[in-house]
Amino acid sequence: MRDEAATRAYVEENIELARREPRTKYLLVIESAEDASVVGTIALVIESPGVGSVGFAVRRSAWGRGYAGAALEALLGYAFTTLGLHRVWAGHEPDNTASGRVLKRPGMYLEGTRRQDVFLRGAWRDTILYAALAPEWSPDTAR
């Protein structure tokens, strides 16, 4: 959890990134449908021409309500139809099977495992990879 100063710096950094041309990062908040409170964030990072990665975080009290899946579906649509990306990928820790289910719903496919590619919380950890390709994706691919 960030303190106020760290949060302010994070927001200011992302505002600056949003102003750059060409834009390479889209950080969006996820709002509650009930009261418009912020329940999380989702980001799309353009890594190279035609390729982006996505990541999301939703506060625990909002888990299981479909917020991450709806945000991911909308962001994939934007990535493919507006930005013209060819490939969007995402990853999660093997123990986080809920994130895997979120990634599958809007049409991302399991690609495999990157073994011990991230040093996190004092240990090397694997990343389970998913991706969606523009020629295969449509809003109707949500499962």
Side-chain angles (χ1 to χ4, degrees), residues 24-28 42-46 51-55 75-76 78-80 83 85 87-89:
T24 59
K25 184 174 182 182
Y26 297 79
L27 177 67
L28 307 170
I42 188 165
L44 170 68
V45 177
I46 311 302
V51 178
S53 63
V54 295
L75 197 54
L76 285 173
Y78 185 76
F80 293 133
L83 298 177
L85 296 185
R87 172 184 167 81
V88 177
W89 70 273

Side-chain angles (χ1 to χ4, degrees), residues 69-137:
L72 180 59
E73 185 174 339
L75 197 54
L76 285 173
Y78 185 76
F80 293 133
T81 61
T82 303
L83 298 177
L85 296 185
H86 174 73
R87 172 184 167 81
V88 177
W89 70 273
H92 69 84
E93 289 186 68
D95 293 342
N96 188 351
T97 57
S99 284
R101 288 190 301 275
V102 169
L103 295 171
K104 286 180 191 176
R105 261 184 226 118
M108 297 186 89
Y109 289 90
L110 176 65
E111 290 194 323
T113 303
R114 278 196 314 219
R115 297 174 51 217
Q116 296 186 7
D117 68 323
V118 176
F119 192 76
L120 187 64
R121 295 186 301 276
W124 286 101
R125 302 186 186 275
D126 294 347
T127 302
I128 308 298
L129 298 175
Y130 287 78
L133 303 176
E136 300 170 348
W137 189 87

Side-chain angles (χ1 to χ4, degrees), residues 12-25:
E12 289 172 3
E13 173 189 351
N14 280 282
I15 289 170
E16 176 59 33
L17 287 171
R19 291 181 175 144
R20 289 189 184 165
E21 288 294 330
R23 189 170 179 181
T24 59
K25 184 174 182 182

Side-chain angles (χ1 to χ4, degrees), residues 30-48:
I30 302 171
E31 290 185 346
S32 164
E34 297 152 4
D35 62 7
S37 64
V38 174
V39 297
T41 60
I42 188 165
L44 170 68
V45 177
I46 311 302
E47 298 181 337
S48 62

